[in-house]
Amino acid sequence: MRQFEESMYQLIVETSTNLPGDVRRAVLRGKAAEDAATRAGLALATITQNIEMAEQEVSPICQDTGMPTFIVHTPVGANQIEMKKAIRAAVVRATKDGKLRPNSVDSLTGANSGDNLGPGTPVIHFEQWEKDAVEVRLILKGGGCENKNIQYSLPTELEGLGKAGRDLDGIRKCIMHAVYQAQGQGCSAGFIGVGIGGDRTTGYELAKQQLFRNVDDVNPNEDLRKLEEYVLDNANKLGIGTMGFGGEVTLLGCKIGAMNRLPASFFVSVAYNCWAFRRQGVLIQPDSGEITDWLYESGHEVGMNPETEKELAATDAAGTASSGREIVLQTPISEEQIRSLKVGDVVIIRGEMHTGRDALHKYLMDHDAPIDLNGAVIYHCGPVMLKDEDGWHVKAAGPTTSIREEPYQGDILKKFGIRAVIGKGGMGPKTLQALQEHGAVYLNAIGGAAQYYAKCIRKVNGVDFMEFGIPEAMWHLEVDGFAAIVTMDSHGNSLHADVNKDSAAKLEMFKEPVFL
């Protein structure tokens, strides 16, 4: 079991820090299909650079390492109890070493276990098979894309698409709607797994199982093969684009499976996954516990675009067109500086910024802040942090999905005098109104680019609310060269609302039945 535990640790590290070859190729195909000078094109350039940085640093590709989910096939007679203990020990070690972010939170108290262990975490599914080897597959699916999972019960009425019946065309409409509703909040361009049938639980399980398929495989069911190809082609006509910036590439992969169902139930379940599609697997010799084979092609064998750094140097690394303005802001920021900004501007931040997620926003509604936030920047981020004798160090620090803070953000902006909020996926009308009334902006960073942004953080100045857990604590970070794009300004303009409206109109093009 000692060697088995080591093998599980190696699996976790590889999954968290190195995208497999099939995913890398899909990202490169998407990058080639996008205009390099657009916001989406340059976002993809930042993504490819981040993938390489994570591999080189052996650090998490994205700071949200999700809910570790293991699928284990064992020969008859294998000791699953000891295997579970070894997997849990490997998870604790990987968390301590900064390869996983501590993500296990008590649902009632909000307390973070600190080691990714707790009731239900990590997820471990065992199944016996007739082979001699042990097979272990792992997926790390972050909360941003997990929150965009969706399940439909047919027949149903869908926005822009009308009635979806209990047939292949109804399934088609559900999948197209699933991509539309995700917008940029799931870190598009992404991948989807679809489960047709089952009950509510097994339907979602089937959908997630599809994400373990190779991106380039061919569905043996002819109807599902045609549907996969249709969705991949037409979802990219919705114009949502990478990060929801608008563009040609919204979806990088679609995999569909089907199972039997009850006569009274017809579920279509969709598991959305971000571009940081972290899944890997190993075959293990049962006697020694050693890894004998890796199940997916190593990312080491598929280099990203060697021209990436030249592209980023020649244009703008924040994911906006090179023709956009670039403004350097030193914190604290004045209202006058903010009012001069408009959607599309690139902002380069220097000085101190402060992380804040769900727990902090809820707290600040009824309490004072521990520091003066007038003119400050709040970063929607739950970083991966490690501490040594020299203090705290940031190991990964990409943005989290901002829409969760919509109930709080506008009130907190005005209460504390905050001038800028950084996150991903945009925010809603309440925040947009507050930005206009108060004089603030929303800045969109590139979701998943945890290594790219970690390099912009020069120093950890301090931390408050460690009782919330590392991801939810308020970290005070000294940054230089932190680039993001204005997507909601103080004049009532929102790129996110514009893309949503445009993609909704395009969705209606797929209302009529299609006979695949």
Side-chain angles (χ1 to χ4, degrees), residues 13-29:
V13 172
E14 181 72 6
T15 307
S16 178
T17 65
N18 189 16
L19 282 188
D22 62 331
V23 176
R24 291 193 182 211
R25 274 191 292 271
V27 171
L28 288 175
R29 286 195 294 267

Side-chain angles (χ1 to χ4, degrees), residues 175-384:
I175 301 172
M176 292 295 290
H177 183 268
V179 176
Y180 160 74
Q181 62 87 37
Q183 291 291 308
Q185 294 174 19
C187 283
S188 59
F191 302 79
I192 56 172
V194 181
I196 303 168
D199 59 19
R200 287 198 180 274
T201 300
T202 58
Y204 266 132
E205 288 178 347
L206 178 62
K208 185 169 281 190
Q209 287 171 12
Q210 301 310 301
L211 296 175
F212 283 103
R213 288 170 52 190
N214 192 290
V215 174
D216 302 312
D217 74 6
V218 177
N219 199 312
N221 182 298
E222 184 66 11
D223 288 335
L224 297 185
R225 181 192 66 79
K226 291 179 180 178
L227 184 56
E228 289 175 352
E229 293 177 356
Y230 171 91
V231 170
L232 187 57
D233 181 36
N234 290 284
N236 287 320
K237 297 175 182 177
L238 293 175
I240 297 168
T242 301
M243 295 298 124
F245 287 160
E248 304 298 320
V249 184
T250 300
L251 197 64
L252 296 172
C254 173
K255 300 299 175 184
I256 307 172
M259 65 195 314
N260 282 14
R261 59 179 177 84
L262 290 169
S265 302
F266 198 125
F267 298 114
V268 178
S269 310
V270 181
Y272 188 92
N273 207 98
C274 58
W275 67 262
F277 188 7
R278 293 156 293 173
R279 52 100 169 93
Q280 186 52 270
V282 290
L283 286 177
I284 291 178
Q285 214 287 329
D287 294 333
S288 67
E290 296 179 348
I291 296 172
T292 59
D293 288 292
W294 292 86
L295 300 182
Y296 301 91
E297 179 184 2
S298 172
H300 299 294
E301 300 170 14
V302 181
M304 304 307 289
N305 189 349
E307 298 299 312
T308 295
E309 291 188 13
K310 293 181 182 179
E311 289 176 2
L312 292 173
T315 55
D316 178 73
T320 188
S322 57
S323 59
R325 294 192 302 161
E326 183 177 294
I327 298 98
V328 176
L329 294 178
Q330 177 75 42
T331 61
I333 306 168
S334 70
E335 181 179 355
E336 181 182 6
Q337 289 175 296
I338 291 298
R339 294 285 186 188
S340 70
L341 300 175
K342 61 183 180 180
V343 166
D345 287 341
V346 180
V347 170
I348 310 297
I349 297 175
R350 293 174 180 166
E352 189 174 58
M353 66 167 61
H354 316 278
T355 67
R357 286 170 41 112
D358 308 60
L360 180 70
H361 280 74
K362 183 176 183 295
Y363 177 89
L364 291 180
M365 289 292 287
D366 303 311
H367 300 84
D368 291 333
I371 58 170
D372 183 7
L373 292 176
N374 189 45
V377 176
I378 290 291
Y379 184 24
H380 294 163
C381 172
V384 176

